[in-house]
Amino acid sequence: MPKRGYHHGNLRQALIDAALRLIEIKGPTGFTLSEAAKQAGVTPAAVYRHFEGREDLIAEAARQGFVMFADLMQHAYDKYQPSALGAFEATGRAYLAFARKYPGHYIAMFESGISVNRTPELADASARARGILERAATDLSQHIPPDKRPPASMFSAHIWAMSHGVVELYARNSPGTASPFSPEDLLETGIGIYLRGLGLIKPD
C-alpha cells in the first residue's frame, strides 16, 4: 500500500481501525505504532499528529468500543421494557453479542490494561455502559424487600463478572476450554441461579 503521508482522508480513524485489527490478531501489547501506521498506509511519523503513543491509540479504540457497547446495551434494555426481568436478561445477552462481533474493541476495553480513567471521555463512555446494567439491576431488585436487597451496583457487578467470565472462558475459542453448552446457555442458566437465590424468579 503506498504511503499517503499527512494527506490521508481520515488518518485518525484509519489508525484506530488498523490498531483494532492488530489487537485482535496479536493482542494489545503485540504490535507497534509502526505496524499500525503501515496498515493504515502512512508513515510512522504521521501517527504522532493524532496520538502520543500506543496506549493513547488503544484508549481511543476502547472509548469507541464503550460507546458502541452502551448503545447495544441500551437497545437491549429498551426492547424488553416494561419487563424488568426481560430487560435485565437482554443486557446479559448483549454483552456476549458485543464480545463476539467486536473482539478488537472488547480486548481494548477489558484486556489491554488501559484504565477507564485515562481520559474523561473514556471514563464517561465506560460509566454509561455500566450504568445501563445497573439501571436494569435496580429495576429488577425493586421486588426484593429493602432489608434483603443487595446494592444495585453489587447486583450488576456480579452479572457483569459472570458475563465476562463466560466470554473469556467459552466465547473466545480459548484452547482447551470447549464447553458442551453454548455461551448463551451458560450465561442464562448462571443468571437464573443467581436470580433464584435472590428470590426474583421461582425455582424450577
Side-chain angles (χ1 to χ4, degrees), residues 75-141:
H75 176 75
Y77 175 84
D78 292 341
K79 182 178 179 180
Y80 285 87
Q81 290 297 323
S83 169
L85 178 59
F88 185 80
E89 291 179 333
T91 57
R93 291 192 296 272
Y95 193 107
L96 294 185
F98 179 87
R100 274 209 177 99
K101 188 171 183 180
Y102 303 105
H105 286 96
Y106 186 90
I107 295 169
M109 292 156 63
F110 299 117
E111 300 173 17
S112 66
I114 300 294
S115 170
V116 294
N117 295 314
R118 184 177 180 87
T119 68
E121 296 79 12
L122 177 54
D124 287 347
S126 173
R128 179 179 166 234
R130 293 175 186 276
I132 294 165
L133 184 56
E134 188 168 327
R135 191 182 323 138
T138 299
D139 293 346
L140 192 55
S141 62

Side-chain angles (χ1 to χ4, degrees), residues 14-184:
L15 287 167
I16 295 166
D17 292 342
L20 288 166
R21 290 191 294 271
L22 289 166
I23 288 168
E24 186 176 347
I25 296 168
K26 298 186 173 186
T29 62
F31 73 97
T32 65
L33 282 178
S34 293
E35 287 179 285
K38 183 178 181 180
Q39 283 220 3
V42 299
T43 63
V47 178
Y48 294 97
R49 292 174 60 88
H50 298 278
F51 301 101
E52 293 183 3
R54 185 178 60 185
E55 289 193 349
D56 284 342
L57 177 55
I58 295 172
E60 176 56 19
R63 185 199 67 80
Q64 291 187 5
F66 273 114
V67 170
M68 296 159 56
F69 183 51
D71 288 344
L72 183 63
M73 296 277 278
Q74 186 68 59
H75 176 75
Y77 175 84
D78 292 341
K79 182 178 179 180
Y80 285 87
Q81 290 297 323
S83 169
L85 178 59
F88 185 80
E89 291 179 333
T91 57
R93 291 192 296 272
Y95 193 107
L96 294 185
F98 179 87
R100 274 209 177 99
K101 188 171 183 180
Y102 303 105
H105 286 96
Y106 186 90
I107 295 169
M109 292 156 63
F110 299 117
E111 300 173 17
S112 66
I114 300 294
S115 170
V116 294
N117 295 314
R118 184 177 180 87
T119 68
E121 296 79 12
L122 177 54
D124 287 347
S126 173
R128 179 179 166 234
R130 293 175 186 276
I132 294 165
L133 184 56
E134 188 168 327
R135 191 182 323 138
T138 299
D139 293 346
L140 192 55
S141 62
Q142 294 305 309
H143 301 283
I144 302 173
D147 60 329
K148 297 181 180 179
R149 184 185 306 162
S153 57
M154 178 184 289
F155 189 164
S156 61
H158 286 160
I159 300 304
W160 191 294
M162 190 185 305
S163 302
H164 186 73
V166 169
V167 167
E168 290 301 306
L169 292 173
Y170 302 113
R172 297 272 298 282
N173 298 318
S174 299
T177 57
S179 168
F181 309 102
S182 71
E184 288 77 11

